[in-house]
Amino acid sequence: SGASGSPVTLTITQGGAASKVFGVDVSACQQKAIDWSQVVQASVSDGGQSFPITFAYIRASKGKADLDNCEFKDPLFTTFAQSAVNAGVVVGAYHVAAVINPSGGTFSPDDEADYFVSVAGNYIQTGNLRPALDLEDSSACGNTPQSIGWPALSAWVDEWMQEVHRLTGVFPVIYCSEPYKSGVGTTLASKYDLWVADWTGNPDTMPSTSPWTTSVLCQYSSSGSVSGMQGQTVSGCSNPNSYVDMDVFQGTAQSFRSTMVISGVTPQTGFLQVNLAPAGAVSAGAQWQVDGGAWQSSGATVSGLSVGSGHTLGFNTVSGWTTPGSQTPTIIANQTTTATGTYVIQPGSLQVTLAPAGAVSAGAQWQVDGGVWQSSGATVSGLSVGSGHMLGFNTVSGWTTPGSQTPT
């Protein structure tokens, strides 16, 4: 079936080198720089033939936010991805499943999927590789993903895959090796395609895929050598030999495109409706905008927004009111996401001096909005801004009372 849909079954004939497509997978923890113009001119020798580097998977994200060493957007994802596309490489994005929350429990698979799509959504389009989920011990934040048990982890992976499909219309592939292949494959092999890690170093070797019947890709080496790759040198990610992970599709170029390259998928969009409060702020001119677009009134709806959480909801400045902070609403395909922006009225103070001294000595006082009577020179705080207040004065025998006032 096509790359936008359900798992596929391939029939591979072993022995000939002609039916193969080669690629790499990279990240900022392995490579600090890549000259993709050199990569596309490089070749892989197999069976007496030379094959070009055709595709590349690039790490996009891990976890559910760009926070720290546990959860992040790969800092070189956009640079690597766009440069590779410009060089003619077929690009795909992968997400590292954090799963384990260091504070306890697990991260939500929906949150991780939403974050991944918000980072990599521009590279989950027609002409890109199907997205991938990287599942391995070293991916966790703290304990290993398998520590929650295979049934729970299988359910977690299933939910992540379904959420990405709901957001993009594309089913991802699962990257893993043992024990994850057997652990989640028992439940998921019939639902999703496998990208297996099997470091034989030989792209002709048929990898072990059970309980899957086959794999759509095989990462056959973690120590490949390709021109244009500069190994990372930072602590914890040292790659002094500039090695790169090597991948092979054991089939024809036509099968590769129909199996791995997204086609015929219309970008998924949704709606955003925002209500503003309170009514006083709305009357004073409160408005909202999404992604720096046109200003909208309270209750308005904006359509055609790409799915995911890669949007910014902002609010205008209204005199006398504290502006709500910006928000990042998650847009769901073909649904209306609602949000609320609540303005807070800014308080002020009023100080009143009474005159002349004789009236003050005779007991002159003042009050605002019918409140407590105040002496001359007193200050009342916490008053809402604007001119909607009434200043009044008491009656003093022998003195004419000042008229009421409306201070701003």
Side-chain angles (χ1 to χ4, degrees):
S1 66
S4 64
S6 56
V8 299
T9 299
L10 301 176
T11 301
I12 306 296
T13 301
Q14 187 177 4
S19 297
K20 291 183 178 63
V21 180
F22 287 87
V24 296
D25 59 273
V26 299
S27 75
C29 192
Q30 295 170 297
Q31 288 78 32
K32 67 178 180 180
I34 301 174
D35 185 340
W36 290 99
S37 65
Q38 292 187 39
V39 173
V40 296
Q41 294 174 18
S43 61
V44 178
S45 296
D46 180 50
Q49 299 185 48
S50 294
F51 297 87
I53 303 295
T54 300
F55 66 91
Y57 267 107
I58 303 170
R59 184 179 69 177
S61 55
K62 177 182 175 182
K64 59 180 176 58
D66 192 9
L67 295 178
D68 48 37
N69 291 331
C70 171
E71 297 183 81
F72 53 80
K73 172 186 175 180
D74 189 299
L76 293 178
F77 170 70
T78 302
T79 298
F80 284 171
Q82 193 54 56
S83 298
V85 169
N86 292 343
V89 177
V90 181
V91 168
Y94 74 88
H95 175 80
V96 180
V99 183
I100 304 297
N101 186 338
S103 300
T106 61
F107 291 126
S108 161
D110 286 349
D111 287 348
E112 288 206 30
D114 293 346
Y115 181 58
F116 169 62
V117 172
S118 76
V119 170
N122 289 338
Y123 298 93
I124 312 176
Q125 307 291 337
T126 295
N128 295 127
L129 297 174
R130 294 161 62 187
L133 178 65
D134 180 349
L135 192 62
E136 53 187 298
D137 273 352
S138 61
S139 69
C141 294
N143 211 338
T144 63
Q146 64 174 302
S147 66
I148 66 174
W150 295 122
L153 183 58
S154 297
W156 193 101
V157 171
D158 190 25
E159 179 60 29
W160 189 94
M161 303 285 278
Q162 291 295 326
E163 177 70 359
V164 171
H165 178 262
R166 184 176 66 85
L167 293 173
T168 67
V170 181
F171 277 113
V173 300
I174 298 173
Y175 167 89
C176 66
S177 60
E178 291 294 359
Y180 290 89
K181 180 164 61 68
S182 295
V184 302
T186 301
T187 304
L188 302 180
S190 62
K191 297 183 68 173
Y192 306 113
D193 289 331
L194 172 67
W195 170 15
V196 66
D198 192 9
W199 297 344
T200 64
N202 184 354
D204 295 326
T205 300
M206 295 298 291
S208 172
T209 62
S210 179
W212 273 269
T213 56
T214 189
S215 62
V216 290
L217 286 179
C218 176
Q219 185 189 74
Y220 66 90
S221 175
S222 63
S223 56
S225 179
V226 173
S227 298
M229 298 285 173
Q230 295 184 40
Q232 188 56 267
T233 56
V234 299
S235 176
C237 291
S238 180
N239 181 15
N241 295 315
S242 297
Y243 288 145
V244 64
D245 293 337
M246 301 297 299
D247 302 284
V248 63
F249 176 88
Q250 294 177 321
T252 65
Q254 181 178 359
S255 294
F256 172 78
R257 296 200 67 84
S258 64
T259 302
M260 295 304 303
V261 180
I262 300 169
S263 65
V265 174
T266 302
Q268 301 287 295
T269 62
F271 307 84
L272 177 64
Q273 182 184 61
V274 180
N275 296 304
L276 304 175
V282 175
S283 297
Q287 291 184 306
W288 63 276
Q289 64 179 181
V290 60
D291 299 334
W295 288 105
Q296 308 290 334
S297 301
S298 179
T301 300
V302 172
S303 61
L305 298 174
S306 59
V307 298
S309 55
H311 300 280
T312 300
L313 171 60
F315 306 90
N316 70 332
T317 300
V318 179
S319 178
W321 296 83
T322 299
T323 308
S326 60
Q327 302 177 26
T328 54
T330 298
I331 304 302
I332 300 172
N334 303 315
Q335 296 187 33
T336 299
T337 297
T338 59
T340 300
T342 301
Y343 288 76
V344 178
I345 198 163
Q346 297 172 341
S349 301
L350 176 65
Q351 183 184 59
V352 178
T353 301
L354 303 175
V360 174
S361 298
Q365 292 183 304
W366 63 276
Q367 66 178 181
V368 61
D369 298 335
V372 176
W373 288 105
Q374 307 289 335
S375 301
S376 179
T379 299
V380 174
S381 60
L383 299 174
S384 60
V385 298
S387 57
H389 299 282
M390 183 64 68
L391 172 61
F393 306 90
N394 68 335
T395 301
V396 179
S397 178
W399 295 84
T400 300
T401 305
S404 59
Q405 301 176 25
T406 55
T408 298

